[in-house]
Amino acid sequence: MTNRFKDKLREIRDAGVRRSEASHKERSLEDMARSQKTVAAFEYRERVEKAIEELVENFLGEAPGFHLSRGFFEGKYMLALRFDEPTPTDADSRGHLYSRLMLLLAPHSEDDSFEIQCRKTIRNRDVETQTRSGPMTLAELPEHTAFIEDQFLSFARVYFGETPITRPASLPTA
């Protein structure tokens, strides 16, 4: 009886090992597919980021006080141009005028879409927030890039413009 008992235990163990190996192999294939989608999403985000870096470089040539920062904001990857301008007079209790162009990038690998949100603040006033979503494909990349370029130009129009909302009277005009 001891040998029969040992044989049954071995059978049970071997069957469990076979089920475990099969399950592990299935999970591995699923994990591999999910990982490949995640890698593709990061690669796409890096392409968009490269386009943003080129626009930033050109923008900084016209507005050297700004600096680029990177990080995460509300669960999305963020690139932000920021500038704290000193106030034109000491009478202003705020001490600085804050401007930013913040781009939030969110690849969604589960449905192969990509979202870009752009938030703008010019001299302590929130101006607007724009969002664009679309497929995460190389064919769509020019559309995402064009949206980002439009956001930079829109920001520049308001930042360098002479509206009473965005430009204090004592700041020089172009």
Side-chain angles (χ1 to χ4, degrees), residues 11 13-23:
E11 256 180 63
R13 182 195 65 207
D14 292 346
V17 168
R18 283 191 300 274
R19 277 193 309 275
S20 177
E21 287 173 351
S23 174

Side-chain angles (χ1 to χ4, degrees), residues 58-71:
N58 290 318
F59 186 86
L60 293 178
E62 300 300 321
F66 283 84
H67 68 276
L68 180 65
S69 62
R70 300 166 196 265

Side-chain angles (χ1 to χ4, degrees), residues 8-38:
K8 288 287 186 186
L9 283 177
R10 285 187 192 123
E11 256 180 63
I12 293 169
R13 182 195 65 207
D14 292 346
V17 168
R18 283 191 300 274
R19 277 193 309 275
S20 177
E21 287 173 351
S23 174
H24 179 71
K25 185 175 182 179
E26 285 177 29
R27 280 195 317 264
S28 294
L29 293 175
E30 288 174 22
D31 290 345
M32 177 90 79
R34 195 171 24 256
S35 294
Q36 288 173 340
K37 288 186 93 166
T38 301

Side-chain angles (χ1 to χ4, degrees), residues 128-141:
E128 66 182 333
T129 296
Q130 297 285 323
T131 302
R132 182 182 197 292
S133 295
M136 191 168 26
T137 63
L138 291 180
E140 190 70 13
L141 187 60

Side-chain angles (χ1 to χ4, degrees), residues 83-156:
F83 184 39
D84 282 324
E85 298 177 63
T87 56
T89 65
D90 292 334
D92 190 341
S93 63
R94 292 178 286 192
H96 71 278
L97 298 172
Y98 178 71
S99 297
R100 72 167 181 190
L101 173 66
M102 181 168 57
L103 296 159
L104 302 172
L105 308 178
H108 302 286
S109 59
E110 63 279 356
D111 66 353
D112 292 324
S113 67
F114 194 80
E115 178 185 349
I116 304 166
Q117 185 180 72
C118 180
R119 297 182 184 183
K120 300 173 193 159
T121 302
I122 298 177
R123 297 189 176 92
N124 296 350
R125 297 179 192 263
D126 289 332
V127 179
E128 66 182 333
T129 296
Q130 297 285 323
T131 302
R132 182 182 197 292
S133 295
M136 191 168 26
T137 63
L138 291 180
E140 190 70 13
L141 187 60
E143 298 298 322
H144 290 292
T145 303
F147 170 77
I148 294 166
E149 184 176 320
D150 287 345
Q151 297 307 302
F152 269 83
L153 294 174
S154 167
F155 180 82

